[in-house]
PDB file of all heavy atoms in Angstrom:
ATOM      1  N   LYS A  20      31.285   3.779  11.317  1.00  0.00           N
ATOM      2  CA  LYS A  20      30.587   3.294  10.112  1.00  0.00           C
ATOM      3  C   LYS A  20      30.677   1.782   9.929  1.00  0.00           C
ATOM      4  O   LYS A  20      30.379   1.278   8.843  1.00  0.00           O
ATOM      5  CB  LYS A  20      31.091   4.006   8.861  1.00  0.00           C
ATOM      6  CG  LYS A  20      30.815   5.506   8.849  1.00  0.00           C
ATOM      7  CD  LYS A  20      31.147   6.127   7.509  1.00  0.00           C
ATOM      8  CE  LYS A  20      30.790   7.620   7.496  1.00  0.00           C
ATOM      9  NZ  LYS A  20      31.070   8.247   6.191  1.00  0.00           N
ATOM     10  N   ASN A  21      31.040   1.067  10.973  1.00  0.00           N
ATOM     11  CA  ASN A  21      31.032  -0.390  10.908  1.00  0.00           C
ATOM     12  C   ASN A  21      29.662  -0.971  11.234  1.00  0.00           C
ATOM     13  O   ASN A  21      29.429  -2.163  11.018  1.00  0.00           O
ATOM     14  CB  ASN A  21      32.065  -0.973  11.870  1.00  0.00           C
ATOM     15  CG  ASN A  21      33.483  -0.744  11.385  1.00  0.00           C
ATOM     16  OD1 ASN A  21      33.785  -0.991  10.217  1.00  0.00           O
ATOM     17  ND2 ASN A  21      34.349  -0.244  12.261  1.00  0.00           N
ATOM     18  N   LEU A  22      28.773  -0.142  11.738  1.00  0.00           N
ATOM     19  CA  LEU A  22      27.397  -0.547  12.038  1.00  0.00           C
ATOM     20  C   LEU A  22      26.460   0.545  11.549  1.00  0.00           C
ATOM     21  O   LEU A  22      26.657   1.726  11.859  1.00  0.00           O
ATOM     22  CB  LEU A  22      27.209  -0.774  13.537  1.00  0.00           C
ATOM     23  CG  LEU A  22      25.776  -0.975  14.020  1.00  0.00           C
ATOM     24  CD1 LEU A  22      25.171  -2.249  13.432  1.00  0.00           C
ATOM     25  CD2 LEU A  22      25.714  -1.009  15.548  1.00  0.00           C
ATOM     26  N   THR A  23      25.446   0.161  10.769  1.00  0.00           N
ATOM     27  CA  THR A  23      24.437   1.102  10.297  1.00  0.00           C
ATOM     28  C   THR A  23      23.064   0.583  10.691  1.00  0.00           C
ATOM     29  O   THR A  23      22.711  -0.558  10.376  1.00  0.00           O
ATOM     30  CB  THR A  23      24.499   1.276   8.768  1.00  0.00           C
ATOM     31  OG1 THR A  23      25.788   1.776   8.395  1.00  0.00           O
ATOM     32  CG2 THR A  23      23.434   2.257   8.296  1.00  0.00           C
ATOM     33  N   LEU A  24      22.292   1.402  11.394  1.00  0.00           N
ATOM     34  CA  LEU A  24      20.932   1.062  11.787  1.00  0.00           C
ATOM     35  C   LEU A  24      19.953   1.689  10.811  1.00  0.00           C
ATOM     36  O   LEU A  24      20.163   2.810  10.325  1.00  0.00           O
ATOM     37  CB  LEU A  24      20.638   1.549  13.207  1.00  0.00           C
ATOM     38  CG  LEU A  24      21.559   1.016  14.306  1.00  0.00           C
ATOM     39  CD1 LEU A  24      21.141   1.585  15.664  1.00  0.00           C
ATOM     40  CD2 LEU A  24      21.562  -0.501  14.340  1.00  0.00           C
ATOM     41  N   LEU A  25      18.864   0.984  10.518  1.00  0.00           N
ATOM     42  CA  LEU A  25      17.875   1.443   9.540  1.00  0.00           C
ATOM     43  C   LEU A  25      16.470   1.247  10.085  1.00  0.00           C
ATOM     44  O   LEU A  25      16.168   0.215  10.699  1.00  0.00           O
ATOM     45  CB  LEU A  25      18.025   0.656   8.234  1.00  0.00           C
ATOM     46  CG  LEU A  25      16.996   0.920   7.136  1.00  0.00           C
ATOM     47  CD1 LEU A  25      17.241   2.290   6.510  1.00  0.00           C
ATOM     48  CD2 LEU A  25      17.046  -0.159   6.067  1.00  0.00           C
ATOM     49  N   ALA A  26      15.593   2.233   9.880  1.00  0.00           N
ATOM     50  CA  ALA A  26      14.190   2.114  10.261  1.00  0.00           C
ATOM     51  C   ALA A  26      13.356   2.867   9.237  1.00  0.00           C
ATOM     52  O   ALA A  26      13.805   3.870   8.660  1.00  0.00           O
ATOM     53  CB  ALA A  26      13.940   2.679  11.659  1.00  0.00           C
ATOM     54  N   GLY A  27      12.132   2.383   8.993  1.00  0.00           N
ATOM     55  CA  GLY A  27      11.311   3.042   7.990  1.00  0.00           C
ATOM     56  C   GLY A  27       9.842   2.720   8.111  1.00  0.00           C
ATOM     57  O   GLY A  27       9.435   1.820   8.858  1.00  0.00           O
ATOM     58  N   TYR A  28       9.046   3.478   7.365  1.00  0.00           N
ATOM     59  CA  TYR A  28       7.589   3.315   7.340  1.00  0.00           C
ATOM     60  C   TYR A  28       7.101   3.508   5.920  1.00  0.00           C
ATOM     61  O   TYR A  28       7.629   4.338   5.168  1.00  0.00           O
ATOM     62  CB  TYR A  28       6.916   4.331   8.259  1.00  0.00           C
ATOM     63  CG  TYR A  28       5.411   4.419   8.062  1.00  0.00           C
ATOM     64  CD1 TYR A  28       4.560   3.458   8.612  1.00  0.00           C
ATOM     65  CD2 TYR A  28       4.843   5.449   7.300  1.00  0.00           C
ATOM     66  CE1 TYR A  28       3.190   3.515   8.415  1.00  0.00           C
ATOM     67  CE2 TYR A  28       3.470   5.517   7.107  1.00  0.00           C
ATOM     68  CZ  TYR A  28       2.653   4.548   7.661  1.00  0.00           C
ATOM     69  OH  TYR A  28       1.286   4.610   7.459  1.00  0.00           O
ATOM     70  N   GLN A  29       6.069   2.721   5.542  1.00  0.00           N
ATOM     71  CA  GLN A  29       5.449   2.832   4.228  1.00  0.00           C
ATOM     72  C   GLN A  29       3.935   2.802   4.362  1.00  0.00           C
ATOM     73  O   GLN A  29       3.395   2.121   5.242  1.00  0.00           O
ATOM     74  CB  GLN A  29       5.871   1.647   3.339  1.00  0.00           C
ATOM     75  CG  GLN A  29       7.305   1.700   2.861  1.00  0.00           C
ATOM     76  CD  GLN A  29       7.464   2.543   1.611  1.00  0.00           C
ATOM     77  OE1 GLN A  29       6.480   3.016   1.047  1.00  0.00           O
ATOM     78  NE2 GLN A  29       8.685   2.724   1.176  1.00  0.00           N
ATOM     79  N   HIS A  30       3.267   3.516   3.476  1.00  0.00           N
ATOM     80  CA  HIS A  30       1.801   3.412   3.373  1.00  0.00           C
ATOM     81  C   HIS A  30       1.435   3.272   1.910  1.00  0.00           C
ATOM     82  O   HIS A  30       1.988   3.962   1.039  1.00  0.00           O
ATOM     83  CB  HIS A  30       1.094   4.635   3.951  1.00  0.00           C
ATOM     84  CG  HIS A  30      -0.398   4.581   3.768  1.00  0.00           C
ATOM     85  ND1 HIS A  30      -1.210   3.769   4.532  1.00  0.00           N
ATOM     86  CD2 HIS A  30      -1.228   5.201   2.875  1.00  0.00           C
ATOM     87  CE1 HIS A  30      -2.459   3.901   4.145  1.00  0.00           C
ATOM     88  NE2 HIS A  30      -2.497   4.769   3.138  1.00  0.00           N
ATOM     89  N   GLY A  31       0.500   2.362   1.641  1.00  0.00           N
ATOM     90  CA  GLY A  31       0.029   2.163   0.282  1.00  0.00           C
ATOM     91  C   GLY A  31      -1.482   2.106   0.226  1.00  0.00           C
ATOM     92  O   GLY A  31      -2.148   1.743   1.209  1.00  0.00           O
ATOM     93  N   HIS A  32      -2.023   2.464  -0.916  1.00  0.00           N
ATOM     94  CA  HIS A  32      -3.476   2.412  -1.128  1.00  0.00           C
ATOM     95  C   HIS A  32      -3.736   1.853  -2.516  1.00  0.00           C
ATOM     96  O   HIS A  32      -3.198   2.355  -3.510  1.00  0.00           O
ATOM     97  CB  HIS A  32      -4.105   3.795  -0.988  1.00  0.00           C
ATOM     98  CG  HIS A  32      -5.601   3.779  -1.168  1.00  0.00           C
ATOM     99  ND1 HIS A  32      -6.455   3.346  -0.184  1.00  0.00           N
ATOM    100  CD2 HIS A  32      -6.385   4.136  -2.222  1.00  0.00           C
ATOM    101  CE1 HIS A  32      -7.703   3.430  -0.612  1.00  0.00           C
ATOM    102  NE2 HIS A  32      -7.689   3.911  -1.847  1.00  0.00           N
ATOM    103  N   ASP A  33      -4.553   0.807  -2.599  1.00  0.00           N
ATOM    104  CA  ASP A  33      -4.910   0.177  -3.863  1.00  0.00           C
ATOM    105  C   ASP A  33      -6.412   0.273  -4.074  1.00  0.00           C
ATOM    106  O   ASP A  33      -7.191   0.271  -3.110  1.00  0.00           O
ATOM    107  CB  ASP A  33      -4.517  -1.306  -3.881  1.00  0.00           C
ATOM    108  CG  ASP A  33      -3.025  -1.514  -3.729  1.00  0.00           C
ATOM    109  OD1 ASP A  33      -2.282  -0.514  -3.725  1.00  0.00           O
ATOM    110  OD2 ASP A  33      -2.605  -2.680  -3.609  1.00  0.00           O
ATOM    111  N   VAL A  34      -6.800   0.332  -5.331  1.00  0.00           N
ATOM    112  CA  VAL A  34      -8.211   0.267  -5.710  1.00  0.00           C
ATOM    113  C   VAL A  34      -8.347  -0.849  -6.737  1.00  0.00           C
ATOM    114  O   VAL A  34      -7.763  -0.775  -7.824  1.00  0.00           O
ATOM    115  CB  VAL A  34      -8.724   1.597  -6.291  1.00  0.00           C
ATOM    116  CG1 VAL A  34     -10.200   1.479  -6.650  1.00  0.00           C
ATOM    117  CG2 VAL A  34      -8.514   2.732  -5.298  1.00  0.00           C
ATOM    118  N   ALA A  35      -9.096  -1.896  -6.388  1.00  0.00           N
ATOM    119  CA  ALA A  35      -9.295  -3.039  -7.278  1.00  0.00           C
ATOM    120  C   ALA A  35     -10.700  -2.995  -7.855  1.00  0.00           C
ATOM    121  O   ALA A  35     -11.678  -2.778  -7.120  1.00  0.00           O
ATOM    122  CB  ALA A  35      -9.084  -4.349  -6.515  1.00  0.00           C
ATOM    123  N   GLY A  36     -10.815  -3.204  -9.158  1.00  0.00           N
ATOM    124  CA  GLY A  36     -12.136  -3.172  -9.792  1.00  0.00           C
ATOM    125  C   GLY A  36     -12.258  -4.256 -10.848  1.00  0.00           C
ATOM    126  O   GLY A  36     -11.580  -5.283 -10.795  1.00  0.00           O
ATOM    127  N   ARG A  37     -13.123  -4.022 -11.810  1.00  0.00           N
ATOM    128  CA  ARG A  37     -13.331  -4.932 -12.935  1.00  0.00           C
ATOM    129  C   ARG A  37     -13.099  -4.184 -14.236  1.00  0.00           C
ATOM    130  O   ARG A  37     -13.515  -3.033 -14.381  1.00  0.00           O
ATOM    131  CB  ARG A  37     -14.763  -5.486 -12.940  1.00  0.00           C
ATOM    132  CG  ARG A  37     -15.067  -6.538 -11.880  1.00  0.00           C
ATOM    133  CD  ARG A  37     -16.525  -6.950 -11.982  1.00  0.00           C
ATOM    134  NE  ARG A  37     -16.874  -8.035 -11.076  1.00  0.00           N
ATOM    135  CZ  ARG A  37     -16.808  -9.323 -11.364  1.00  0.00           C
ATOM    136  NH1 ARG A  37     -16.410  -9.686 -12.563  1.00  0.00           N
ATOM    137  NH2 ARG A  37     -17.147 -10.239 -10.491  1.00  0.00           N
ATOM    138  N   THR A  38     -12.443  -4.829 -15.185  1.00  0.00           N
ATOM    139  CA  THR A  38     -12.205  -4.213 -16.483  1.00  0.00           C
ATOM    140  C   THR A  38     -13.528  -3.893 -17.174  1.00  0.00           C
ATOM    141  O   THR A  38     -14.422  -4.737 -17.232  1.00  0.00           O
ATOM    142  CB  THR A  38     -11.379  -5.148 -17.377  1.00  0.00           C
ATOM    143  OG1 THR A  38     -10.111  -5.381 -16.759  1.00  0.00           O
ATOM    144  CG2 THR A  38     -11.169  -4.545 -18.747  1.00  0.00           C
ATOM    145  N   GLY A  39     -13.649  -2.654 -17.673  1.00  0.00           N
ATOM    146  CA  GLY A  39     -14.868  -2.235 -18.354  1.00  0.00           C
ATOM    147  C   GLY A  39     -15.936  -1.698 -17.426  1.00  0.00           C
ATOM    148  O   GLY A  39     -16.975  -1.235 -17.896  1.00  0.00           O
ATOM    149  N   THR A  40     -15.695  -1.746 -16.116  1.00  0.00           N
ATOM    150  CA  THR A  40     -16.657  -1.229 -15.139  1.00  0.00           C
ATOM    151  C   THR A  40     -16.026  -0.067 -14.387  1.00  0.00           C
ATOM    152  O   THR A  40     -14.937  -0.221 -13.829  1.00  0.00           O
ATOM    153  CB  THR A  40     -17.061  -2.320 -14.131  1.00  0.00           C
ATOM    154  OG1 THR A  40     -17.616  -3.428 -14.834  1.00  0.00           O
ATOM    155  CG2 THR A  40     -18.085  -1.791 -13.137  1.00  0.00           C
ATOM    156  N   PRO A  41     -16.662   1.100 -14.358  1.00  0.00           N
ATOM    157  CA  PRO A  41     -16.077   2.242 -13.638  1.00  0.00           C
ATOM    158  C   PRO A  41     -15.865   1.903 -12.165  1.00  0.00           C
ATOM    159  O   PRO A  41     -16.640   1.154 -11.563  1.00  0.00           O
ATOM    160  CB  PRO A  41     -17.130   3.345 -13.818  1.00  0.00           C
ATOM    161  CG  PRO A  41     -17.913   2.941 -15.023  1.00  0.00           C
ATOM    162  CD  PRO A  41     -17.947   1.456 -15.015  1.00  0.00           C
ATOM    163  N   PHE A  42     -14.816   2.465 -11.574  1.00  0.00           N
ATOM    164  CA  PHE A  42     -14.560   2.254 -10.160  1.00  0.00           C
ATOM    165  C   PHE A  42     -15.717   2.757  -9.304  1.00  0.00           C
ATOM    166  O   PHE A  42     -15.936   2.257  -8.199  1.00  0.00           O
ATOM    167  CB  PHE A  42     -13.266   2.956  -9.743  1.00  0.00           C
ATOM    168  CG  PHE A  42     -12.017   2.271 -10.232  1.00  0.00           C
ATOM    169  CD1 PHE A  42     -11.042   2.988 -10.917  1.00  0.00           C
ATOM    170  CD2 PHE A  42     -11.811   0.922 -10.010  1.00  0.00           C
ATOM    171  CE1 PHE A  42      -9.889   2.359 -11.359  1.00  0.00           C
ATOM    172  CE2 PHE A  42     -10.657   0.277 -10.456  1.00  0.00           C
ATOM    173  CZ  PHE A  42      -9.697   1.007 -11.131  1.00  0.00           C
ATOM    174  N   SER A  43     -16.459   3.740  -9.795  1.00  0.00           N
ATOM    175  CA  SER A  43     -17.591   4.270  -9.030  1.00  0.00           C
ATOM    176  C   SER A  43     -18.729   3.257  -8.926  1.00  0.00           C
ATOM    177  O   SER A  43     -19.567   3.337  -8.033  1.00  0.00           O
ATOM    178  CB  SER A  43     -18.108   5.559  -9.678  1.00  0.00           C
ATOM    179  OG  SER A  43     -18.517   5.321 -11.022  1.00  0.00           O
ATOM    180  N   VAL A  44     -18.752   2.286  -9.846  1.00  0.00           N
ATOM    181  CA  VAL A  44     -19.790   1.258  -9.829  1.00  0.00           C
ATOM    182  C   VAL A  44     -19.350   0.048  -9.016  1.00  0.00           C
ATOM    183  O   VAL A  44     -20.115  -0.508  -8.228  1.00  0.00           O
ATOM    184  CB  VAL A  44     -20.156   0.830 -11.267  1.00  0.00           C
ATOM    185  CG1 VAL A  44     -21.170  -0.316 -11.262  1.00  0.00           C
ATOM    186  CG2 VAL A  44     -20.687   2.023 -12.046  1.00  0.00           C
ATOM    187  N   PHE A  45     -18.082  -0.370  -9.223  1.00  0.00           N
ATOM    188  CA  PHE A  45     -17.558  -1.512  -8.469  1.00  0.00           C
ATOM    189  C   PHE A  45     -16.089  -1.292  -8.170  1.00  0.00           C
ATOM    190  O   PHE A  45     -15.296  -1.047  -9.088  1.00  0.00           O
ATOM    191  CB  PHE A  45     -17.722  -2.814  -9.253  1.00  0.00           C
ATOM    192  CG  PHE A  45     -17.081  -3.998  -8.579  1.00  0.00           C
ATOM    193  CD1 PHE A  45     -17.768  -4.725  -7.625  1.00  0.00           C
ATOM    194  CD2 PHE A  45     -15.776  -4.373  -8.887  1.00  0.00           C
ATOM    195  CE1 PHE A  45     -17.173  -5.806  -6.990  1.00  0.00           C
ATOM    196  CE2 PHE A  45     -15.180  -5.448  -8.261  1.00  0.00           C
ATOM    197  CZ  PHE A  45     -15.877  -6.169  -7.302  1.00  0.00           C
ATOM    198  N   SER A  46     -15.712  -1.366  -6.907  1.00  0.00           N
ATOM    199  CA  SER A  46     -14.307  -1.274  -6.533  1.00  0.00           C
ATOM    200  C   SER A  46     -14.132  -1.717  -5.088  1.00  0.00           C
ATOM    201  O   SER A  46     -15.069  -1.664  -4.285  1.00  0.00           O
ATOM    202  CB  SER A  46     -13.773   0.155  -6.702  1.00  0.00           C
ATOM    203  OG  SER A  46     -14.413   1.044  -5.810  1.00  0.00           O
ATOM    204  N   HIS A  47     -12.920  -2.184  -4.771  1.00  0.00           N
ATOM    205  CA  HIS A  47     -12.520  -2.518  -3.418  1.00  0.00           C
ATOM    206  C   HIS A  47     -11.319  -1.658  -3.049  1.00  0.00           C
ATOM    207  O   HIS A  47     -10.330  -1.625  -3.790  1.00  0.00           O
ATOM    208  CB  HIS A  47     -12.141  -3.997  -3.290  1.00  0.00           C
ATOM    209  CG  HIS A  47     -13.288  -4.931  -3.444  1.00  0.00           C
ATOM    210  ND1 HIS A  47     -13.139  -6.259  -3.807  1.00  0.00           N
ATOM    211  CD2 HIS A  47     -14.625  -4.746  -3.278  1.00  0.00           C
ATOM    212  CE1 HIS A  47     -14.318  -6.848  -3.862  1.00  0.00           C
ATOM    213  NE2 HIS A  47     -15.235  -5.944  -3.556  1.00  0.00           N
ATOM    214  N   ASP A  48     -11.384  -0.978  -1.919  1.00  0.00           N
ATOM    215  CA  ASP A  48     -10.248  -0.204  -1.428  1.00  0.00           C
ATOM    216  C   ASP A  48      -9.399  -1.081  -0.512  1.00  0.00           C
ATOM    217  O   ASP A  48      -9.930  -1.784   0.357  1.00  0.00           O
ATOM    218  CB  ASP A  48     -10.710   1.032  -0.671  1.00  0.00           C
ATOM    219  CG  ASP A  48     -11.319   2.077  -1.584  1.00  0.00           C
ATOM    220  OD1 ASP A  48     -10.966   2.082  -2.777  1.00  0.00           O
ATOM    221  OD2 ASP A  48     -12.150   2.879  -1.121  1.00  0.00           O
ATOM    222  N   ILE A  49      -8.094  -1.016  -0.703  1.00  0.00           N
ATOM    223  CA  ILE A  49      -7.156  -1.814   0.088  1.00  0.00           C
ATOM    224  C   ILE A  49      -6.071  -0.879   0.621  1.00  0.00           C
ATOM    225  O   ILE A  49      -5.422  -0.167  -0.153  1.00  0.00           O
ATOM    226  CB  ILE A  49      -6.505  -2.923  -0.760  1.00  0.00           C
ATOM    227  CG1 ILE A  49      -7.583  -3.791  -1.428  1.00  0.00           C
ATOM    228  CG2 ILE A  49      -5.573  -3.779   0.090  1.00  0.00           C
ATOM    229  CD1 ILE A  49      -7.056  -4.672  -2.545  1.00  0.00           C
ATOM    230  N   ASP A  50      -5.898  -0.859   1.923  1.00  0.00           N
ATOM    231  CA  ASP A  50      -4.863  -0.038   2.552  1.00  0.00           C
ATOM    232  C   ASP A  50      -3.782  -0.935   3.132  1.00  0.00           C
ATOM    233  O   ASP A  50      -4.069  -1.997   3.704  1.00  0.00           O
ATOM    234  CB  ASP A  50      -5.457   0.834   3.653  1.00  0.00           C
ATOM    235  CG  ASP A  50      -6.297   1.969   3.094  1.00  0.00           C
ATOM    236  OD1 ASP A  50      -5.738   2.816   2.380  1.00  0.00           O
ATOM    237  OD2 ASP A  50      -7.513   1.991   3.358  1.00  0.00           O
ATOM    238  N   LEU A  51      -2.535  -0.492   2.972  1.00  0.00           N
ATOM    239  CA  LEU A  51      -1.396  -1.257   3.437  1.00  0.00           C
ATOM    240  C   LEU A  51      -0.455  -0.345   4.216  1.00  0.00           C
ATOM    241  O   LEU A  51      -0.116   0.750   3.754  1.00  0.00           O
ATOM    242  CB  LEU A  51      -0.629  -1.871   2.260  1.00  0.00           C
ATOM    243  CG  LEU A  51      -1.430  -2.677   1.232  1.00  0.00           C
ATOM    244  CD1 LEU A  51      -1.852  -1.789   0.053  1.00  0.00           C
ATOM    245  CD2 LEU A  51      -0.602  -3.848   0.708  1.00  0.00           C
ATOM    246  N   ASP A  52      -0.075  -0.768   5.401  1.00  0.00           N
ATOM    247  CA  ASP A  52       0.894  -0.040   6.207  1.00  0.00           C
ATOM    248  C   ASP A  52       2.038  -0.985   6.543  1.00  0.00           C
ATOM    249  O   ASP A  52       1.810  -2.127   6.961  1.00  0.00           O
ATOM    250  CB  ASP A  52       0.254   0.480   7.496  1.00  0.00           C
ATOM    251  CG  ASP A  52      -0.735   1.594   7.227  1.00  0.00           C
ATOM    252  OD1 ASP A  52      -0.294   2.736   7.019  1.00  0.00           O
ATOM    253  OD2 ASP A  52      -1.952   1.313   7.214  1.00  0.00           O
ATOM    254  N   GLY A  53       3.265  -0.510   6.363  1.00  0.00           N
ATOM    255  CA  GLY A  53       4.424  -1.354   6.604  1.00  0.00           C
ATOM    256  C   GLY A  53       5.476  -0.641   7.427  1.00  0.00           C
ATOM    257  O   GLY A  53       5.664   0.580   7.322  1.00  0.00           O
ATOM    258  N   VAL A  54       6.149  -1.389   8.275  1.00  0.00           N
ATOM    259  CA  VAL A  54       7.269  -0.875   9.063  1.00  0.00           C
ATOM    260  C   VAL A  54       8.444  -1.827   8.888  1.00  0.00           C
ATOM    261  O   VAL A  54       8.271  -3.012   8.591  1.00  0.00           O
ATOM    262  CB  VAL A  54       6.912  -0.736  10.551  1.00  0.00           C
ATOM    263  CG1 VAL A  54       5.858   0.330  10.756  1.00  0.00           C
ATOM    264  CG2 VAL A  54       6.429  -2.069  11.125  1.00  0.00           C
ATOM    265  N   LYS A  55       9.642  -1.296   9.083  1.00  0.00           N
ATOM    266  CA  LYS A  55      10.840  -2.123   8.970  1.00  0.00           C
ATOM    267  C   LYS A  55      11.908  -1.584   9.900  1.00  0.00           C
ATOM    268  O   LYS A  55      11.932  -0.403  10.260  1.00  0.00           O
ATOM    269  CB  LYS A  55      11.354  -2.145   7.535  1.00  0.00           C
ATOM    270  CG  LYS A  55      11.806  -0.774   7.036  1.00  0.00           C
ATOM    271  CD  LYS A  55      12.346  -0.849   5.629  1.00  0.00           C
ATOM    272  CE  LYS A  55      12.718   0.551   5.122  1.00  0.00           C
ATOM    273  NZ  LYS A  55      13.260   0.526   3.755  1.00  0.00           N
ATOM    274  N   ALA A  56      12.811  -2.471  10.288  1.00  0.00           N
ATOM    275  CA  ALA A  56      13.957  -2.106  11.104  1.00  0.00           C
ATOM    276  C   ALA A  56      15.068  -3.085  10.790  1.00  0.00           C
ATOM    277  O   ALA A  56      14.824  -4.286  10.608  1.00  0.00           O
ATOM    278  CB  ALA A  56      13.623  -2.144  12.590  1.00  0.00           C
ATOM    279  N   GLY A  57      16.274  -2.581  10.701  1.00  0.00           N
ATOM    280  CA  GLY A  57      17.366  -3.476  10.339  1.00  0.00           C
ATOM    281  C   GLY A  57      18.711  -2.904  10.723  1.00  0.00           C
ATOM    282  O   GLY A  57      18.829  -1.784  11.241  1.00  0.00           O
TER     283      GLY A  57
END
């Protein structure tokens, strides 16, 4: 236990729009994938 290895993965999804406007009318989809090791 003097050394600990770490690895991981993340996925995210965002939807950006305008206030007062439905996402079905205006929106941008943003996907994010992340990896880490330590």
Side-chain angles (χ1 to χ4, degrees):
K20 296 188 177 181
N21 288 313
L22 170 64
T23 300
L24 302 180
L25 175 72
Y28 168 79
Q29 288 275 355
H30 176 75
H32 181 77
D33 298 354
V34 181
R37 286 178 175 270
T38 298
T40 302
F42 287 128
S43 59
V44 176
F45 175 86
S46 65
H47 292 158
D48 290 335
I49 305 165
D50 288 298
L51 309 94
D52 290 281
V54 294
K55 64 178 177 180

